[in-house]
Amino acid sequence: MKYYVDAKAAAGGNGSEEKPFRTIQNAADIAMAGDEVIVLPGIYREAVNPKNAGTDGNPIVYRSATDKGAQITGAEELKGWKQLEGSVYTARVSNKIFGDYNPYTTLVSGDWFIAYFIAHTGDVFLNGKSMYEVQSLDEVKKAEVYVPSWDQEFSVYKWYAEQDTNTNETVFYANFQGKDPNKENVEISARKTCFTPEKEGINYITVRGFKISQAATQWAPPTAYQEGMVAPHWSKGWIIEDCEIYEAKCSGISLGKYLQRTNDNKWLKTKYKDGTQTQRDCVCQAQIDGWSKETIGSHVIRRCNIHDCGQTGIVGHLGGVFSIIEDNHIHHINNKQNLAGAEIGGIKMHAAIDVIYRRNHIHHCTRGIWLDWQAQGTRVTQNLFHDNVLPKEYNQNKESMVGCAEDLFIEVSHGPTLVDNNIFLSDKAVKIATQGVALVHNIIAGGFNAVGRGVNNGTPSKPSPRYTPYHLPHRTEVAGFMTILHGDCSFFNNIFIQQPLRPALKALMDENVTNDWDDHNIITGTIPYDKYPTFEEWDATFEGYCGMGSVTTDRYYSELPVWAKGNLYFNGAKPMKKEKDAYVDDKNKVTISVVEKDGKICLKTNVYDFIPSAKHELLKTDDIMPAFEPEQKYENPDGSAIVFDTDFVGKKRLEGAIAGPFADAIKAEQILF
């Protein structure tokens, strides 16, 4: 059955092509497995709540009739602005339009959110772009540049809201910098979501080709129900494709956790249990409540343009397992720097079990991808990362946490986490406060930071190791919990290129040499692993030991071994001392950057003028030691072996392999996307 929707249709339609429904919700109330909902161009100011599930092979498909022609928005137009003085205007709106959720009385809050100033879940938008909330009318009038913002020019567009309890209205004040708001498109966010079911288990839904924007989503930590403008809400088999998703207050797409009523932001609410402990409780409770491969996850997010969200482009905990996130353009996330805390990034996912991130272009985010806990069977492959660190020196600001950003952060996980055939071009490439990682055939032009650090809770005088779960291979069932020993990493056939050390980042690194959380290292290469044992050294500590009796030993709490071979180092990038075959070029000057040319994204570099001609043996799963704690190989989600015979652009490595993400030496400008 096909149902048609047209925002311009008369009321009372029956969903036929001749008499379409006026709202998407009309169709969502009745669409069943195998049905298709075709939405004509227009603006749909609604929060769609699909009532019924599709089935495997017969999803319910919601699609825009023309690419990006239909827009689902959480915003309402706000007209009738009155000039207060100069560029400052005021307008009022009845709180009745918000129903039981007023974004201008609801504060952004949740576990791991740093509330260094008051922020509401609502926003004011000028021509589709969110303005900057301040705390008073006086600040609206002053309209000062917000220094941490990555877009300082627009940061002078300010707004403030207060409640008139006598009239039950929200009163807005805004500085439009000389623009007339009655001639521009001014909107306010009025709904917390755009497309998500209220019920759990609404499986096999496809959302295709929409613009989705401007919802007042709440902060989404792993210990809370995670809201997104689009969210499957604890279900299986969704496909979100070919959409433009932007201007969520917090998160654009959530593949996240269901509402655990006895453990929802428990750390924030009670403070008696540490957040790490309540998160462990969340995982175990989900297991009891039926979290499994058969019931949850296996979603696909592909070919979406996700940008200008306050917290994350994609967020998830537990609900995103076994998913594929591919061919997306994710950019300009958390650039306003008006929200701070953990849980920020282009993608922030916990428990990315058997999740594949491939062929994504991720840039200008205050962190590219953050894989936190349980990145087991996770693969990050064929992605381009750049400009995910402090963009300009004047943006340096400790409160905003911008100095902490990097392309990829893998935190307190036991692996196996496979990172292959990627291009990392930010000053900080990979934060590795973890173990069980293999980096294979990448270009890495930034530092490894937080090696051997960042796994404790930071108590000043008490031991505070974070014990995190690992799982049965390719399953959700918990196999055990363990703290992070560090090491258990492999570095094979990578190209390391040292970029010039930017002064603000160099100063940050120098200030944090002894910081137990993050050293902010920007020196490129495997050198942070200098002190780690080879497998032979580690194995020798167990000789003659049978594990019997009560003899004390450090064997089971020492750093795990590290493997490295086939890596190339340029511009002063530094290998670890035990790397026997490292190729170090101290003579030639290598340049590397990303450029846009004729609508294509290209890699511009001369590094392939200087790489050695010798080729390496083609790597496969059995060439990498399995991840230590889960005793799981670096393999495909179905358990089959991986052969590293496909490069960044999909070309086959036919006869051996050169280092880096390309099968053969590339031209000075290589088209990537």
Side-chain angles (χ1 to χ4, degrees):
M1 188 76 178
K2 290 185 178 181
Y3 297 102
Y4 291 85
V5 181
D6 188 348
K8 298 182 289 294
N14 59 13
S16 65
E17 192 169 7
E18 295 76 21
K19 294 183 177 181
F21 291 131
R22 181 185 286 181
T23 70
I24 302 171
Q25 188 61 53
N26 291 148
D29 286 339
I30 61 174
M32 303 295 290
D35 289 346
E36 184 178 26
V37 177
I38 302 167
V39 184
L40 276 67
I43 297 176
Y44 296 83
R45 299 184 186 276
E46 54 182 308
V48 181
N49 170 26
K51 298 293 181 67
N52 304 307
T55 60
D56 192 5
N58 286 289
I60 302 175
V61 176
Y62 295 80
R63 69 173 178 89
S64 175
T66 63
D67 186 39
K68 315 300 187 301
Q71 179 177 359
I72 308 172
T73 176
E76 293 288 337
E77 291 181 298
L78 182 54
K79 298 183 180 297
W81 289 89
K82 297 179 180 179
Q83 189 174 24
L84 194 65
E85 61 176 68
S87 294
V88 178
Y89 288 73
T90 185
R92 290 171 170 259
V93 63
S94 170
N95 287 335
K96 292 179 181 179
I97 74 165
F98 301 124
D100 59 359
Y101 177 77
N102 185 338
Y104 305 96
T105 60
T106 305
L107 297 179
V108 177
S109 65
D111 290 349
W112 290 284
F113 175 68
I114 300 175
Y116 66 86
F117 69 82
I118 294 172
H120 291 90
T121 58
D123 258 320
V124 177
F125 303 93
L126 174 62
N127 298 324
K129 188 171 183 176
S130 61
M131 299 168 66
Y132 285 66
E133 182 180 10
V134 291
Q135 314 304 304
S136 68
L137 175 57
D138 185 56
E139 290 177 86
V140 172
K141 294 176 179 179
K142 288 182 179 178
E144 295 176 340
V145 168
Y146 183 52
V147 173
S149 173
W150 289 26
D151 184 7
Q152 290 190 355
E153 183 178 353
F154 195 75
S155 74
V156 296
Y157 288 81
K158 309 288 191 183
W159 69 270
Y160 166 68
E162 62 185 12
Q163 297 300 307
D164 186 335
T165 56
N166 293 325
T167 61
N168 191 30
E169 292 177 312
T170 297
V171 184
F172 293 92
Y173 304 92
N175 192 323
F176 293 102
Q177 296 297 323
K179 293 182 171 63
D180 184 345
N182 296 307
K183 296 180 180 179
E184 307 289 337
N185 177 27
V186 179
E187 299 168 288
I188 57 170
S189 43
R191 289 170 288 277
K192 68 168 66 176
T193 63
C194 292
F195 195 106
T196 185
E198 291 181 2
K199 295 190 301 182
E200 299 168 13
I202 304 299
N203 301 329
Y204 300 106
I205 300 289
T206 296
V207 180
R208 179 184 302 146
F210 292 92
K211 283 187 176 181
I212 299 173
S213 67
Q214 297 161 293
T217 51
Q218 183 57 278
W219 185 256
T223 49
Y225 169 59
Q226 293 182 309
E227 294 175 2
M229 290 199 297
V230 188
H233 188 195
W234 207 242
S235 64
K236 183 175 182 178
W238 277 45
I239 298 174
I240 304 167
E241 60 186 6
D242 300 308
C243 293
E244 182 180 4
I245 296 171
Y246 62 99
E247 284 289 2
K249 181 67 178 197
C250 290
S251 295
I253 298 174
S254 171
L255 301 182
K257 195 172 69 62
Y258 67 111
L259 177 62
Q260 295 180 337
R261 296 191 182 278
T262 60
N263 192 7
D264 187 68
N265 279 319
K266 190 174 183 178
W267 185 28
L268 174 71
K269 293 173 182 176
T270 68
K271 297 295 183 185
Y272 296 131
K273 274 190 177 181
D274 176 74
T276 296
Q277 182 62 22
T278 61
Q279 188 172 333
R280 280 189 287 263
D281 291 348
C282 283
V283 175
C284 293
Q285 183 177 336
Q287 198 83 83
I288 294 168
D289 290 344
W291 177 48
S292 74
K293 187 174 185 177
E294 288 70 33
T295 58
I296 301 298
S298 296
H299 305 301
V300 177
I301 302 173
R302 62 188 171 208
R303 299 188 301 273
C304 291
N305 180 10
I306 306 170
H307 61 94
D308 291 288
C309 298
Q311 179 192 341
T312 62
I314 302 171
V315 73
H317 181 209
L318 305 172
V321 291
F322 315 110
S323 294
I324 297 173
I325 299 174
E326 63 183 2
D327 298 306
N328 299 290
H329 185 195
I330 302 173
H331 56 105
H332 296 91
I333 302 298
N334 190 236
N335 283 187
K336 289 175 72 175
Q337 291 285 297
N338 60 331
L339 303 179
E343 321 311 323
I344 283 172
I347 300 173
K348 174 64 196 288
M349 285 184 68
H350 290 75
I353 298 172
D354 280 3
V355 175
I356 298 173
Y357 304 88
R358 66 184 170 210
R359 297 189 302 270
N360 300 290
H361 181 195
I362 303 177
H363 63 98
H364 290 92
C365 302
T366 53
R367 182 162 284 127
I369 297 178
W370 187 350
L371 303 175
D372 200 350
W373 293 39
Q374 304 150 275
Q376 182 169 334
T378 309
R379 188 175 185 184
V380 179
T381 183
Q382 299 169 298
N383 302 283
L384 170 63
F385 299 85
H386 62 92
D387 293 291
N388 294 312
V389 177
L390 175 70
K392 298 176 182 177
E393 302 307 311
Y394 62 63
N395 289 113
Q396 186 62 37
N397 179 280
K398 291 182 179 179
E399 283 184 328
S400 69
M401 298 178 68
V402 68
C404 300
E406 60 282 314
D407 285 333
L408 173 63
F409 182 10
I410 310 168
E411 184 176 12
V412 290
S413 177
H414 302 283
T417 307
L418 177 59
V419 181
D420 69 285
N421 291 291
N422 301 283
I423 301 172
F424 297 101
L425 298 185
S426 297
D427 305 79
K428 300 177 186 178
V430 187
K431 188 173 183 178
I432 315 183
T434 193
Q435 64 189 48
V437 179
L439 287 101
V440 182
H441 280 295
N442 302 285
I443 286 178
I444 301 169
F448 294 146
N449 51 306
V451 172
R453 311 179 190 215
V455 303
N456 298 317
N457 268 342
T459 53
S461 60
K462 301 285 187 181
S464 58
R466 285 190 285 172
Y467 287 84
T468 57
Y470 54 95
H471 301 261
L472 297 179
H474 312 298
R475 300 288 305 175
T476 59
E477 290 83 357
V478 175
F481 290 81
M482 185 56 183
T483 188
I484 302 300
L485 302 177
H486 301 288
D488 190 26
C489 293
S490 299
F491 305 95
F492 298 151
N493 295 357
N494 301 288
I495 298 175
F496 292 95
I497 303 170
Q498 179 68 61
Q499 298 189 77
L501 303 184
R502 294 164 58 195
L505 299 180
K506 175 63 165 58
L508 191 64
M509 180 179 69
D510 292 342
E511 291 168 8
N512 286 277
V513 171
T514 60
N515 186 338
D516 188 53
W517 179 247
D518 188 354
D519 58 1
H520 296 280
N521 174 56
I522 55 173
I523 304 300
T524 302
T526 56
I527 189 170
Y529 288 92
D530 251 359
K531 71 173 185 178
Y532 286 78
T534 64
F535 176 78
E536 292 74 19
E537 291 170 333
W538 178 75
D539 184 54
T541 66
F542 294 88
E543 290 180 3
Y545 181 70
C546 299
M548 298 183 293
S550 58
V551 177
T552 59
T553 179
D554 289 334
R555 294 176 180 88
Y556 300 109
Y557 299 92
S558 297
E559 290 91 349
L560 297 167
V562 170
W563 294 262
K565 66 178 180 180
N567 299 305
L568 314 183
Y569 297 83
F570 296 92
N571 288 4
K574 301 180 184 303
M576 60 183 183
K577 294 175 182 176
K578 296 175 184 178
E579 188 170 348
K580 295 179 180 179
D581 69 344
Y583 178 87
V584 179
D585 183 338
D586 289 326
K587 297 179 181 179
N588 297 296
K589 178 65 175 178
V590 166
T591 58
I592 189 165
S593 62
V594 171
V595 297
E596 186 173 349
K597 190 173 183 179
D598 300 327
K600 300 290 186 181
I601 302 299
C602 302
L603 182 70
K604 186 175 182 179
T605 183
N606 64 347
V607 69
Y608 285 90
D609 294 341
F610 309 121
I611 65 170
S613 58
K615 291 191 175 184
H616 307 282
E617 183 180 352
L618 201 62
L619 292 171
K620 53 189 181 302
T621 288
D622 285 344
D623 295 318
I624 308 173
M625 188 68 75
F628 175 75
E629 209 65 65
E631 300 177 4
Q632 180 178 332
K633 293 182 177 181
Y634 292 85
E635 59 192 9
N636 288 308
D638 63 3
S640 62
I642 295 173
V643 179
F644 295 92
D645 61 354
T646 305
D647 78 352
F648 184 97
V649 295
K651 186 176 181 179
K652 289 293 184 180
R653 296 181 173 98
L654 298 177
E655 298 178 1
I658 60 173
F662 299 104
D664 301 299
I666 62 171
K667 299 176 182 178
E669 290 186 4
Q670 169 68 44
I671 295 175
L672 303 179
F673 300 105

